[in-house]
Amino acid sequence: MSALEPRDADVAPTPAPPAARGDAKGSVLDPDHRALSIGMVSVVLLIAFEATAVGTAMPVAARELQGIPLYAFAFSAYFTTSLFGMVLAGQWSDRSGPLAPLTTGISAFAAGLFLSGTAGAMWMFILGRAVQGLGGGLVIVALYVVVGRAYAEHLRPAIMAAFAASWVVPSIVGPLASGTITEQLGWRWVFVGIPVLVVFPLALALPAIRRTASGPADPEAPLAPWDRRRIVLALGISAGAALLQYAGEELRPLALLPAAAGLALLVPAVRGLLPRGTCRAARGLPSVVLLRGIAAGSFIAAESFIPLMLVSQRGLSPTLAGFSLALGGLTWALGSWIQSRPWTEPYRERLVVLGMILIALAIAGAPSVLITWVPAWTVAVVWAFGCFGMGAVISSTSVLLMKLSAPEEVGANSAALQISDGLSNVLLLAAGGAAFAALGGGAVGHAMDAGTTGGSHPAAFAAVFLPVAGVAAVGVWVATRLHAAGPKAGVGGEA
C-alpha cells in the first residue's frame, strides 16, 4: 500500500540519465535502470513485509501489554511522526540528494521495530512505532524523488506497478509467518526479527541510487538553506495530529482543550504544505492529492481493525486473522498492473472512479462478519476487491501527480501526496479509535484474556467501519475531478 518545501526551494529532479530521456525507449529493467529498480523494489518489499507481519501480531502485542484501549495509537503513532519525516526528507533531498535521507530512514525504521519488540509497556511500544514512522516518512519521499529524477514519464507507471507487485509475496507469506511466530515463539520475535532484513535493501539499493540520483538537484547552484518555516509547519502538523489523537482517546470534556490546540496547529500547517485548493477538491492536482488521502486513510483505518475484529469476535487465531488479508496482496498488484498498461491511459480517471467504488463497498462490507451466520472468510473476499481498487487508485494518483507537476515541483508535490496520505491515516484512525473506545472497545481485551469472543458490542467495530466507508464514498466524487482545468496548483498556498 506522500508535501514539502515551497515550489522554488523544493526537491527538483536532476537531469535524467540518457536512458530515461528517451521518448518511448527503455524499461525499468534495462541496463541503465536494472540495479536501481531492483534495489528500490527491495526497499518497498521490506516495508510491505513489516506492514503485513506487524499487523498480524498487533492484537496479541496489545493484549499482552494491556494496551487494547490504546490499540489505534499503535498505528497512528507511526503515521503522526512520518508526517514530519516527509517534510524533512524533502529539504534534505534538495540539499544533498535522496541517498542520505533514505539511509537514515531505513536505519530509523529498523530501530523503531527493535524498540517496539523489546517494550515492556504499551507506551514504549507506541514510542517504537513513532520512531519507525519517522524512518518510514524519510524513506517514502526519498523513493519518490528518485523516481522523479531517474525515470522518464512513460516508465513511471511501470515502476509504480513494480512497487505494488512487491507487496504480493509479503501479503501471502507475512501473515502466515507472523502468525506462526507469534503463536510459537511470541509476538516480540516478529518485531526484532525484521530489522535483519534491512541489510539486503541497503546493500543493493544505495549504490545504485548513488550512481543515478544522488547529489543536489543542481550541482552548480549554491547549497539551499534549510527552510525553517517548512520545518515549523511540519512540527505543527505532527503535533496537531498527535493532540487530536490524544483527545479522541481521552473521551472527557477536558479533552476538548488538546483537540482545539491540535486543530489550531493543523489548519495553518495543512494550508501551507498542500497545494492550493486541496480542501475544496479543486480540479486537477489538488483533487489528486486529496483523493490519495481519502483512499489511503479510509482503507488503512478499516484494515487496522480487521485482525482484531476476527480474533476477538469470531475466535480466529492470529495466523488465520492475518491470512484473511493475504489475497488482497495479489489483487492490489493486479489493479496496479492494469493501470500500468498503455491501453488504460485514456481511461485512467474512469479506472480511479471504479477503484474508489470498490474501496467504499469493501469497507462497508467487512463488518458483515459481525453477524454470526456470515462466514468469516467473507472478509477475505470483499477485501480482495477493495485491494484491487487500492492498487488502481494509489498507483494512478502517483502517476497523475507527476504528470500534472512542473519539473521543478515534482519533489514538493510528491511530498504533498504523502502528507495527505499520512495525515488522513492519523485523523481517521484517531476518529475510529475514539468511536471504538466509546462504544465498549476496551472490553475486547478482557474477553481475549479470558479466551472468549464477543467481549464487546459489535457496534464498537461498526462505528469504525461504516463512517470511513462514507469517507471513501466521498472519494468517488473527488475521483471525477482529477482532470486538470486551468493553471497547475503549487504547494504552499491555501489548501
Side-chain angles (χ1 to χ4, degrees):
M1 336 203 20
S2 328
L4 283 348
E5 342 289 70
R7 67 171 68 183
D8 295 333
D10 255 327
V11 182
T14 54
R21 290 198 298 265
D23 291 336
K25 297 179 180 179
S27 73
V28 296
L29 290 178
D30 63 26
D32 292 307
H33 296 96
R34 185 180 300 123
L36 178 62
S37 298
I38 294 174
M40 290 201 304
V41 168
S42 298
V43 173
V44 177
L45 187 71
L46 168 66
I47 296 173
F49 187 79
E50 177 275 337
T52 55
V54 168
T56 302
M58 196 74 77
V60 179
R63 179 190 63 190
E64 183 175 313
L65 296 174
Q66 299 181 348
I68 290 292
L70 301 177
Y71 186 78
F73 262 129
F75 292 95
S76 63
Y78 178 99
F79 296 116
T80 298
T81 54
S82 70
L83 296 173
F84 177 75
M86 292 167 191
V87 178
L88 181 62
Q91 292 210 36
W92 200 347
S93 297
D94 185 34
R95 288 171 58 85
S96 59
L99 185 63
L102 185 62
T103 305
T104 304
I106 293 177
S107 300
F109 193 81
L113 281 167
F114 184 80
L115 186 59
S116 291
T118 57
M122 192 64 179
W123 68 267
M124 183 63 71
F125 181 89
I126 292 172
L127 177 62
R129 292 286 289 168
V131 173
Q132 188 185 344
L134 177 63
L138 292 170
V139 169
I140 190 64
V141 171
L143 286 178
Y144 269 66
V145 172
V146 173
V147 171
R149 292 187 180 191
Y151 293 86
E153 182 176 341
H154 71 280
L155 295 179
R156 291 170 189 162
I159 192 63
M160 293 300 174
F163 285 173
S166 66
W167 282 77
V168 174
V169 173
S171 295
I172 297 173
V173 176
L176 180 61
S178 175
T180 302
I181 293 171
T182 298
E183 293 174 9
Q184 301 300 322
L185 300 177
W187 64 267
R188 296 182 185 276
W189 287 98
V190 175
F191 288 83
V192 300
I194 292 177
V196 177
L197 302 176
V198 170
V199 177
F200 177 73
L202 282 176
L204 190 61
L206 299 185
I209 294 173
R210 188 187 303 275
R211 290 193 302 270
T212 60
S214 64
D218 185 357
E220 304 298 326
L223 189 64
W226 287 95
D227 189 333
R228 296 181 181 180
R229 172 180 172 272
R230 304 293 291 185
I231 296 296
V232 170
L233 289 176
L235 289 172
I237 202 170
S238 296
L243 286 170
L244 283 177
Q245 174 73 23
Y246 173 77
E249 294 291 339
E250 281 297 298
L251 299 177
R252 295 183 300 175
L254 287 178
L256 293 175
L257 294 178
L263 286 174
L265 290 170
L266 270 181
V267 171
V270 167
R271 292 176 61 165
L273 293 171
L274 299 185
R276 289 184 292 272
T278 297
C279 293
R280 55 185 172 85
R283 287 191 174 275
L285 179 63
S287 285
V288 171
V289 172
L290 178 60
L291 181 65
R292 177 60 164 261
I294 290 175
S298 59
F299 191 84
I300 295 300
E303 187 177 62
S304 299
F305 281 86
I306 285 179
L308 183 64
M309 179 174 64
L310 292 176
V311 170
S312 65
Q313 303 300 294
R314 299 303 298 266
L316 270 64
S317 68
T319 301
L320 289 177
F323 203 65
S324 67
L325 306 177
L327 181 61
L330 292 169
T331 57
W332 187 310
L334 177 61
S336 185
W337 179 81
I338 288 177
Q339 68 79 36
S340 73
R341 299 299 88 194
W343 57 267
T344 64
E345 187 59 36
Y347 310 103
R348 182 174 299 281
E349 290 165 9
R350 295 181 186 177
L351 181 62
V352 173
V353 172
L354 173 62
M356 284 307 307
I357 292 173
L358 292 176
I359 292 168
L361 291 176
I363 296 173
S368 63
V369 297
L370 295 170
I371 304 171
T372 55
W373 53 264
V374 174
W377 50 259
T378 302
V379 169
V381 175
V382 300
W383 215 244
F385 283 98
C387 285
F388 177 89
M390 283 293 286
V393 171
I394 296 300
S395 295
S396 288
T397 53
S398 300
V399 172
L400 286 168
L401 177 126
M402 294 184 184
K403 181 179 180 180
L404 295 171
S405 299
E408 68 274 12
E409 295 175 333
V410 171
N413 291 340
S414 295
L417 195 73
Q418 297 298 333
I419 281 197
S420 177
D421 186 320
L423 180 61
S424 66
N425 284 330
V426 172
L427 296 180
L428 290 178
L429 276 169
F436 181 72
L439 294 177
V444 174
H446 300 300
M448 292 173 67
D449 287 333
T452 62
T453 61
S456 71
H457 299 294
F461 287 97
V464 174
F465 287 92
L466 298 184
V468 295
V471 173
V474 173
V476 176
W477 170 73
V478 176
T480 65
R481 301 177 58 80
L482 304 183
H483 181 71
K488 296 171 183 174
V491 171
E494 294 187 9

